[in-house]
Amino acid sequence: MDYIKFPISQSIIKKLLHNGEERDTCMRRVYLTTITKLIKEETSRPMLYGKYFETQALGKSAKGDKQKDLPRKKLTIKMEQENAVRKDEGRPLLEGERYLDHIRTDDQVERFKALVKNKQIIITNENVQVTAYAYWEKDKNVLLKGEFDVFPTTVLLDDELEAAIIDLKLTADIHNDYGEFCYGKPEYLDLIQAKMYHYIVRNLDHELNPQINAIITDSIKNLIDNNRIRFLLWIFNYKGQVLEDKFIQVKWDATKKAELDESIRKTISILDIAETEDWPTNPMYDLCKKCPWKDCPDKIKIETI
């Protein structure tokens, strides 16, 4: 594969590996949804809520997408009748009531905006959903790609104002301690995103990133050069008795760099092998049941009688 035209991102690594170990993956699905993008992955409910939270908090979501609203309760007959009148008169239509999770997510957006001011975090149109590139030092024919929710910014933590990369996460349970989103036990999280973003900001190619060059001040660059830039997962919940948030900081060191290099190497190896094998399918019920390729000839189907 051409890894300049198809840069390696943390998202493609996460499709193939988890904490450095190879996943059960259908490479035909990866080819159709990620390499060629001929088929679009279905948006799950958590993904929908996450995209909505980012849009409301930052003004836009990743890749320029915007999720301006969430599914609402059905209109009552009376509201439908009122809307018929409003439509004829050219007035705004009534909307269905918000579900509780929707309301709590909106409340978290307001909390986020207040906390941003308190923690001296900078949110502008220029430093949110920023795409950045860096060449991999192990192989200059491999380009790495990152999409930062917020970068660069300052952040006030422990009475110190430092540079930061911030990634927003919305989760049902901020104390969850199992599965891939175990924010209650962050030591078990897959930290590939943090590792990739730490690497990219330290190795930005100036010709590839003119939009970032314009927003990285000398003071920010100096902090990066002195290893004083923090990667922060900023977690917000929308279920539970209390609305909460917390930072999870991921530090950068030689061990994490070595782990990143190995994950990139494994990812490239998996992709290269899949390409030589013409992107084979991997029929497994757990993989097939949520696959968006409806016409796959190898898809496992469960018949009910």
Side-chain angles (χ1 to χ4, degrees):
M1 283 185 60
D2 185 338
Y3 295 106
I4 299 297
K5 292 182 179 178
F6 181 77
I8 298 296
S9 65
Q10 60 89 22
S11 60
I12 184 62
I13 294 176
K14 288 174 76 171
K15 287 179 184 293
L16 306 178
L17 307 173
H18 178 65
N19 278 328
E21 299 298 321
E22 191 169 348
R23 294 178 183 271
D24 283 325
T25 309
C26 174
M27 296 309 298
R28 174 61 61 165
R29 178 176 177 175
V30 170
Y31 175 75
L32 291 172
T33 62
T34 307
I35 307 296
T36 64
K37 295 183 172 62
L38 293 173
I39 295 177
K40 188 175 182 179
E41 288 278 11
E42 295 178 2
T43 303
S44 65
R45 186 177 186 276
M47 290 170 60
L48 189 69
Y49 268 73
K51 187 179 292 187
Y52 174 77
F53 180 66
E54 284 186 356
T55 300
Q56 301 307 311
L58 302 176
K60 53 187 173 182
S61 187
K63 300 178 178 64
D65 292 341
K66 289 189 177 183
Q67 185 67 39
K68 296 182 179 180
D69 204 355
L70 291 168
R72 293 173 177 252
K73 296 179 181 179
K74 290 183 178 180
L75 297 176
T76 64
I77 294 175
K78 185 176 181 179
M79 293 171 72
E80 289 178 345
Q81 292 171 341
E82 171 68 15
N83 271 348
V85 175
R86 285 173 174 248
K87 185 176 181 180
D88 288 341
E89 295 176 350
R91 291 189 290 147
L93 301 181
L94 298 175
E95 296 181 302
E97 293 183 4
R98 295 174 296 166
Y99 289 100
L100 179 59
D101 288 349
H102 188 168
I103 293 171
R104 291 169 69 82
T105 300
D106 285 340
D107 290 342
Q108 283 288 45
V109 170
E110 295 307 311
R111 289 187 71 251
F112 168 83
K113 292 177 180 178
L115 288 165
V116 160
K117 293 181 180 179
N118 179 262
K119 298 180 185 299
Q120 298 184 37
I121 294 169
I122 300 167
I123 302 292
T124 69
N125 190 55
E126 286 73 30
N127 78 327
V128 301
Q129 303 303 350
V130 176
T131 301
Y133 298 93
Y135 290 106
W136 187 34
E137 65 180 8
K138 300 288 184 181
D139 184 345
K140 296 299 184 180
N141 291 314
V142 175
L143 192 62
L144 306 180
K145 177 182 178 181
E147 295 176 278
F148 308 127
D149 283 352
V150 184
F151 172 78
T153 182
T154 53
V155 61
L156 184 65
L157 290 176
D158 304 322
D159 296 321
E160 292 286 338
L161 193 65
E162 296 193 12
I165 309 158
I166 297 177
D167 195 77
L168 291 183
K169 302 292 184 187
L170 182 72
T171 186
D173 180 7
I174 203 169
H175 303 293
N176 176 47
D177 61 3
Y178 65 94
E180 295 193 15
F181 305 103
C182 51
Y183 298 119
K185 289 190 175 180
E187 63 270 24
Y188 296 111
L189 288 169
D190 185 341
L191 300 177
I192 189 62
Q193 182 184 35
K195 296 169 189 175
M196 177 72 84
Y197 290 6
H198 266 302
Y199 182 88
I200 289 175
V201 299
R202 287 165 171 78
N203 296 275
L204 287 170
D205 184 278
H206 296 297
E207 292 184 3
L208 293 174
N209 299 285
Q211 78 287 2
I212 295 182
N213 296 333
I215 58 177
I216 294 184
T217 63
D218 289 340
S219 60
I220 292 288
K221 186 178 185 304
N222 185 57
L223 290 170
I224 294 172
D225 291 342
N226 287 282
N227 202 30
R228 288 186 57 199
I229 182 162
R230 304 187 184 215
F231 178 92
L232 300 170
L233 291 171
W234 198 359
I235 320 298
F236 290 79
N237 70 321
Y238 64 91
K239 287 185 181 292
Q241 296 298 315
V242 181
L243 291 178
E244 301 176 81
D245 70 281
K246 70 175 181 179
F247 285 117
I248 297 174
Q249 180 180 185
V250 183
K251 294 184 177 180
W252 181 243
D253 55 33
T255 299
K256 289 190 175 65
K257 182 179 181 300
E259 291 170 346
L260 173 65
D261 286 339
E262 180 61 10
S263 291
I264 294 170
R265 185 197 66 76
K266 282 185 176 181
T267 297
I268 290 171
S269 176
I270 292 169
L271 291 172
D272 285 346
I273 291 171
E275 185 178 41
T276 62
E277 296 177 349
D278 196 25
W279 306 99
T281 59
N282 182 19
M284 296 176 61
Y285 176 68
D286 285 345
L287 298 178
C288 291
K289 65 181 179 180
K290 294 183 179 180
C291 180
W293 186 23
K294 305 303 181 185
D295 299 325
C296 174
D298 301 323
K299 190 167 189 174
I300 292 178
K301 298 178 181 179
I302 303 299
E303 295 186 2
T304 302
I305 58 173

